[in-house]
Amino acid sequence: MQIAQVIVDIPTSQTNNPFSYLIPDNLSGQVSPGMRVQVPFGPRKITGFIVAITDRSEFQGKLKPISSLVDLYPVINQELLELATWMAGQTYSFKINCLQTMLPGGMRTKFKKKLIAKSDQIRDDNPQIFAGQNEVDYDRAHYSSNLLSQILNLQKTDQIKVEYELTIHAKPVMMAAFKRQMTPEALKAESQHVRSNAIAQQHLLKLLLDHPDEQFLQSKLNQKGISSSTTRVAEQRGWIKKTQVRQIRNPFLRSVKKSQPLKLNADQQAAVSQINSATSTKQNQIFLLEGVTGSGKTEVYLQSIAHALSLGRTALMLVPEITLTPQIVGRIRSRFGDQVAMLHSALSNGERFDEWQRINSGQAKVVVGVRSAVFAPLTNLGLIIIDEEHDSSYKQADNPRYQTRDVAKWRAAYHHCPVVLGSATPSLESRARAMKGVYRLLRLPHRINRHALPHVSIIDMKIEMAKHHSALSTALSTAISDRLAKHEQIILLLNRRGYSSFLMCRDCGYVPRCPNCDISLTMHKDTGTLDCHYCGHKEPIPRVCPQCHSKRIGHYGMGSQQLEEQVKEMFPTARVLRMDVDTTRRKGSHEAIIDKFGAHKADILLGTQMIAKGLDFPEVTLVGVLNADSALAFPDFRSSERTFELLTQVSGRAGRADKTGEVFIQTFNPDHYAIQLAQTQDYERFYATEMRVRHDGKYPPYYFTVKLTGSSPNENQTAAEMYAILNFLKANLSKMAIILGPTPKTITRINNRYYYQIIIKYQNEPHLKAVLDQVLLKSQKKQRHGLQIAIDNEPLDFM
DNA sequence: AGCACGCCGACT
DNA sequence: GTCGGCGTGCTC
């Protein structure tokens, strides 16, 4: 007897091990590992993933059979099944969550529970439940406890039936298609009978006679003026036969011209040949490709991918979330054409599903995508590239909290292929590994065509603010006027959305705060609301101070909206474009703004971080960073690294073509090393300085770290539980482990939950994994009291 | 997750 | 005496 081992869709530690189910005769031979199935689980039906098929089970009790199949083919291959097991352990999360993360959104299953009255009498006797319908959706939240017990009773007395309806959002698009049914002779005869003014019918007959073996899509026929009503008539008369054809949605909006490999300089050539030789010899080598902006990293990627393809293998290229702009995808597609699949968050569920299908079926050989694309079901991988490897979007913020780099390394080890980590400003972790020889360092120290780096000036805003209260320093506004006069373009960067403006009463100092979170509300002039960026709470902007009724309540701080207004006021003739979370929310608007600015239909582009990365505008000769320190102000050990990265990156935006660029960095900390060293783009000295800071502070990469966050609606309970965990950790870890906390988080209350955290820093703790697994297990029992524990292995920040 | 079983307070 | 509160454990 064949038995399926199933990871069921119930996120608890008890279900981290598979449950055994019998494979019924009617399904035998059809099931294989990686398929999803519907199984009985207690009184309910749920979905699960088959992870193995065995001929015996450890389980002593009676086995139930699988109810039905969700998939007709495996959606998770053997490699990814193994990866899920590793990842669950690595990230302290449940296997089921890892498996689900690997599938494109929209392929996830949802159950709808339905109540069905067994007779009209029963329906009419229970109007509160059925409201005259024979079948209703069951929604627990909508029923009173009285009604719930009533439903339970009806169920026990077998008067109603409960059904579980499975829904999957992503479905293939089917399109009607038609094939000739009659012989050409018969069709000719038909055309005699058709009225001469039935133009569409005549047209269709002619098409069928001219192309007797073609399959006509309805969409194609529509273009020729043959509507579905015509085809319906034709079908009735037996001219044609209707079938359904699967359509692949095409997320690539524009076609691209084919491009040829560029000539490499010596450094690029050296990098490409080392990577290619690792691919050829199936070496699981990790490369750190360090190259300043404009040094031609992308061409190295492209030629390494080409080599992997030439060996009949596939390639995966990962890019940061906001970088996946048409500019980059276009370059990849122009080289590799339709072999490229793209996976990113701007795709609709349907588009993502279709792209995933093209990968799973082996049609697509190159995948370009964001974080989650690291799970692309490519087989026979020959190369994995992670561009801008230091980028924070590679770490998933919620469960499973995986680091894309680590998943990529696991997959590369599985496939015996190289990984290329590329960056102008590598993370300290990666660079330190390269120095130790764990990774191989490849360098591209020169800008292509020997363009000079832009001239960077640092402006001390302490001095500026003593003179005036404008967001733009005198030097920067003079430079803007100058560029506007020369018809050159300008980028203004406002660091961080959180720096946006808030409301304050000038008489009593009252600041409106979120009722659910410990944070002040942010002003949004366009919607006329005060918003909380943590829980989404919104309220209207008050005209008078709610506390002292003064009318002198106004905004403080500088958001991108205010900046836009100020810039327009100062330079009334300039065409200004703003790009931030608010203006790019709509699908395609990000692209539209980039296109517009690229076509020089605007003079000034202002916005947040998202304009700093990956964009290439040759006409930009001036970049202004308005508040370089706001990242520095964060109470976190990575804030210097973040600041240096950002400043280096934006500076690279200026003067890429034949015009030399100029960069102004406005700051209140002109002497800070992250700002000083960004001025000269001196990564080497930054690395050395920052490593010393990390060493002295016992931070990564010198120490490994784990962050434990506990939260509950009751602050005292949260604190008490975290102290209990602290004691448990102290008792079970070595004396060498550094345990910090518990401390309330920077924003202690979010959505009426109180957050406390413990940080563990360690160099060698062989039992850590086992100890933390126990913490997690114990906390499961306490979850009923509202306590939640999250374990973040190697967190990006300590906040 | 959700449902059943089990042990203590206010009701016909 | 019982109905029902929700605290605990299990689901192949």
Side-chain angles (χ1 to χ4, degrees):
Chain A
M1 195 56 186
Q2 294 257 286
I3 290 162
Q5 305 295 339
V6 177
I7 296 286
V8 293
D9 188 3
I10 303 286
T12 11
S13 50
Q14 291 103 305
T15 59
N16 250 352
N17 290 317
F19 277 48
S20 306
Y21 286 91
L22 297 172
I23 298 172
D25 289 344
N26 64 326
L27 294 179
S28 76
Q30 290 183 61
V31 287
S32 53
M35 284 183 187
R36 289 174 298 173
V37 285
Q38 229 183 112
V39 291
F41 193 73
R44 299 173 296 150
K45 260 185 204 166
I46 57 169
T47 45
F49 288 79
I50 299 180
V51 291
I53 289 175
T54 53
D55 44 19
R56 43 181 293 121
S57 169
E58 303 278 293
F59 186 64
Q60 297 302 309
K62 195 169 151 39
L63 299 187
K64 292 180 179 177
I66 289 170
S67 307
S68 64
L69 296 181
V70 174
D71 303 304
L72 299 172
Y73 51 88
V75 292
I76 300 277
N77 63 31
Q78 190 56 41
E79 180 206 350
L80 295 178
L81 283 176
E82 288 172 36
L83 175 59
T85 305
W86 172 82
M87 199 167 108
Q90 185 75 14
T91 61
Y92 300 93
S93 50
F94 303 122
K95 222 180 268 184
I96 186 68
N97 291 338
C98 297
L99 288 166
Q100 269 159 349
T101 308
M102 294 177 171
L103 291 180
M107 255 181 94
R108 309 212 177 133
T109 52
K110 265 192 187 155
F111 267 109
K112 240 178 30 194
K113 192 173 169 178
K114 288 185 153 185
L115 302 178
I116 300 159
K118 286 201 166 172
S119 73
D120 293 354
Q121 181 67 45
I122 295 164
R123 176 195 67 197
D124 297 333
D125 286 351
N126 301 284
Q128 281 175 291
I129 302 171
F130 291 104
Q133 306 280 86
N134 273 319
E135 211 182 286
V136 289
D137 287 353
Y138 176 92
D139 184 358
R140 210 190 158 94
H142 280 164
Y143 300 121
S144 65
S145 61
N146 255 340
L147 214 51
L148 274 172
S149 61
Q150 196 182 328
I151 292 169
L152 216 66
N153 253 321
L154 289 168
Q155 219 178 313
K156 273 183 186 158
T157 52
D158 205 29
Q159 296 185 67
I160 59 171
K161 208 165 80 178
V162 177
E163 257 186 22
Y164 295 91
E165 192 187 322
L166 183 72
T167 52
I168 303 176
H169 288 291
K171 290 192 185 102
V173 186
M174 302 306 280
M175 166 68 78
F178 301 93
K179 271 204 104 162
R180 176 178 58 89
Q181 172 96 329
M182 285 182 173
T183 60
E185 293 71 32
L187 286 172
K188 259 178 212 148
E190 284 286 319
S191 68
Q192 308 299 317
H193 303 298
V194 175
R195 292 195 323 272
S196 60
N197 61 354
I199 295 165
Q201 290 186 32
Q202 292 284 11
H203 191 169
L204 176 61
L205 283 167
K206 188 169 181 333
L207 271 176
L208 291 169
L209 287 165
D210 290 351
H211 310 276
D213 295 316
E214 196 168 326
Q215 180 164 258
F216 295 97
L217 283 173
Q218 181 66 61
S219 59
K220 281 275 159 58
L221 293 175
N222 282 342
Q223 287 165 17
K224 295 178 193 292
I226 299 165
S227 67
S228 55
S229 60
T230 311
T231 48
R232 204 178 312 121
V233 171
E235 199 188 349
Q236 275 162 17
R237 294 187 183 167
W239 302 354
I240 52 176
K241 194 172 174 339
K242 187 178 183 174
T243 49
Q244 296 286 328
V245 174
R246 167 119 195 244
Q247 287 294 98
I248 298 290
R249 302 172 183 85
N250 187 1
F252 301 115
L253 293 171
R254 40 187 134 176
S255 56
V256 287
K257 271 200 221 116
K258 187 108 184 100
S259 76
Q260 292 305 316
L262 305 177
K263 180 139 174 50
L264 301 177
N265 66 27
D267 301 317
Q268 287 175 307
Q269 187 56 59
V272 168
S273 56
Q274 287 206 53
I275 296 164
N276 287 356
S277 110
T279 305
S280 299
T281 57
K282 294 208 164 195
Q283 261 184 72
N284 177 217
Q285 173 69 48
I286 296 159
F287 295 98
L288 178 62
L289 178 65
E290 189 181 307
V292 295
T293 18
S295 60
K297 287 193 292 291
T298 310
E299 192 57 31
V300 172
Y301 301 152
L302 291 175
Q303 299 202 16
S304 317
I305 293 170
H307 182 252
L309 293 178
S310 75
L311 297 171
R313 301 173 76 186
T314 60
L316 176 58
M317 174 165 166
L318 302 165
V319 294
E321 210 116 74
I322 47 185
T323 315
L324 194 54
T325 57
Q327 288 185 358
I328 302 214
V329 178
R331 266 190 87 178
I332 313 272
R333 277 219 308 145
S334 68
R335 199 66 60 83
F336 304 112
D338 292 338
Q339 299 179 86
V340 181
M342 168 171 93
L343 291 171
H344 67 95
S345 50
L347 298 183
S348 70
N349 275 342
E351 287 169 336
R352 212 173 313 163
F353 172 64
D354 281 358
E355 287 294 271
W356 183 89
Q357 289 274 334
R358 288 178 56 223
I359 303 162
N360 202 34
S361 65
Q363 282 177 63
K365 307 274 187 215
V366 181
V367 173
V368 188
V370 296
R371 179 178 66 234
S372 59
V374 76
F375 303 113
L378 287 166
T379 52
N380 200 13
L381 264 173
L383 175 67
I384 303 178
I385 293 163
I386 302 186
D387 189 29
E388 309 289 340
E389 66 91 28
H390 60 273
D391 193 273
S392 57
S393 73
Y394 285 126
K395 176 85 195 264
Q396 179 141 78
D398 38 48
N399 253 315
R401 300 180 163 79
Y402 66 90
Q403 167 64 54
T404 306
R405 268 179 295 185
D406 296 335
V407 177
K409 284 196 286 196
W410 188 96
R411 292 196 71 181
Y414 185 96
H415 289 275
H416 310 289
C417 77
V419 177
V420 177
L421 306 173
S423 179
T425 51
S427 63
L428 291 219
E429 283 90 337
S430 294
R431 178 55 193 266
R433 281 184 193 158
M435 298 314 274
K436 279 173 76 179
V438 183
Y439 299 169
R440 196 178 300 165
L441 187 61
L442 303 171
R443 278 190 159 131
L444 304 179
H446 306 296
R447 281 191 142 195
I448 283 180
N449 301 336
R450 314 251 168 219
H451 284 318
L453 279 168
H455 180 261
V456 181
S457 318
I458 294 175
I459 296 163
D460 187 345
M461 289 305 277
K462 292 193 300 272
I463 300 171
E464 284 288 321
M465 289 310 256
K467 290 190 281 187
H468 55 83
H469 276 276
S470 166
L472 302 179
S473 59
T474 318
L476 180 56
S477 43
T478 311
I480 294 174
S481 306
D482 172 63
R483 300 309 140 109
L484 287 173
K486 288 186 194 155
H487 298 287
E488 292 172 2
Q489 285 181 299
I490 300 144
I491 287 180
L492 295 179
L493 179 97
L494 194 62
N495 200 352
R496 236 192 120 74
R497 187 197 186 200
Y499 201 76
S500 50
S501 70
F502 57 93
L503 209 64
M504 187 165 96
C505 173
R506 281 156 215 240
D507 286 332
C508 72
Y510 172 82
V511 174
R513 301 176 74 82
C514 175
N516 310 316
C517 312
D518 282 336
I519 193 162
S520 51
L521 295 168
T522 304
M523 204 161 81
H524 286 255
K525 262 193 175 168
D526 47 354
T527 51
T529 53
L530 294 171
D531 297 6
C532 172
H533 286 176
Y534 284 86
C535 73
H537 169 86
K538 277 185 200 301
E539 57 184 68
I541 298 175
R543 284 158 182 261
V544 295
C545 172
Q547 191 165 278
C548 72
H549 307 293
S550 157
K551 282 183 184 165
R552 296 185 358 109
I553 185 161
H555 64 82
Y556 274 81
M558 173 67 64
S560 40
Q561 277 180 41
Q562 279 75 40
L563 177 66
E564 183 182 12
E565 281 169 27
Q566 229 183 80
V567 169
K568 278 178 172 165
E569 214 171 279
M570 288 174 77
F571 308 100
T573 55
R575 297 162 299 170
V576 184
L577 267 181
R578 174 162 65 97
M579 183 152 101
D580 58 19
V581 231
D582 296 318
T583 59
T584 53
R585 206 167 286 138
R586 259 186 33 248
K587 194 181 168 179
S589 51
H590 185 245
E591 203 177 328
I593 294 174
I594 292 170
D595 281 354
K596 200 171 171 192
F597 192 65
H600 207 145
K601 285 179 183 152
D603 307 300
I604 301 175
L605 176 65
L606 69 90
T608 48
Q609 252 96 324
M610 60 175 73
I611 61 176
K613 302 191 179 180
L615 303 176
D616 188 1
F617 301 112
E619 302 282 309
V620 172
T621 57
L622 174 65
V623 170
V625 182
L626 299 199
N627 52 339
D629 344 63
S630 70
L632 272 185
F634 276 120
D636 189 68
F637 74 95
R638 249 183 260 265
S639 63
S640 300
E641 188 180 354
R642 286 280 144 74
T643 303
F644 180 80
E645 272 163 25
L646 183 77
L647 296 180
T648 308
Q649 227 155 27
V650 282
S651 303
R653 298 297 133 236
R656 292 176 65 128
D658 48 346
K659 293 165 186 158
T660 311
E662 203 176 355
V663 177
F664 287 86
I665 296 175
Q666 300 188 160
T667 173
F668 288 95
N669 299 290
D671 300 325
H672 193 284
Y673 65 94
I675 290 173
Q676 289 274 323
L677 295 172
Q679 180 179 25
T680 44
Q681 306 244 334
D682 193 342
Y683 178 80
E684 292 308 319
R685 266 185 64 196
F686 176 76
Y687 172 75
T689 313
E690 185 64 13
M691 281 298 268
R692 218 173 308 128
V693 173
R694 300 287 179 92
H695 178 267
D696 295 348
K698 295 187 165 55
Y699 287 120
Y702 290 98
Y703 275 74
F704 297 113
T705 58
V706 176
K707 177 165 77 176
L708 287 95
T709 309
S711 72
S712 85
N714 178 321
E715 184 161 13
N716 288 335
Q717 186 202 359
T718 311
E721 293 293 352
M722 292 303 277
Y723 273 103
I725 290 175
L726 172 73
N727 290 331
F728 181 76
L729 292 174
K730 274 189 179 161
N732 289 284
L733 295 179
S734 83
K735 292 275 168 288
M736 301 295 287
I738 302 166
I739 310 174
L740 305 173
T743 47
K745 297 200 81 156
T746 321
I747 299 162
T748 306
R749 187 180 56 131
I750 296 171
N751 241 330
N752 291 319
R753 294 184 69 87
Y754 292 85
Y755 288 82
Y756 276 65
Q757 71 179 22
I758 292 173
I759 302 283
I760 306 169
K761 299 201 269 189
Y762 66 100
Q763 286 181 310
N764 185 23
E765 290 292 323
H767 305 300
L768 181 70
K769 169 100 180 85
V771 172
L772 290 179
D773 279 336
Q774 275 191 60
V775 169
L776 214 55
L777 202 65
K778 285 183 179 185
S779 77
Q780 288 242 307
K781 293 184 177 143
K782 296 195 166 122
Q783 236 178 54
R784 290 238 165 81
H785 309 282
L787 184 83
Q788 272 172 23
I789 299 290
I791 299 183
D792 191 350
N793 199 1
E794 294 302 321
L796 282 192
D797 56 56
F798 287 176
M799 299 200 311

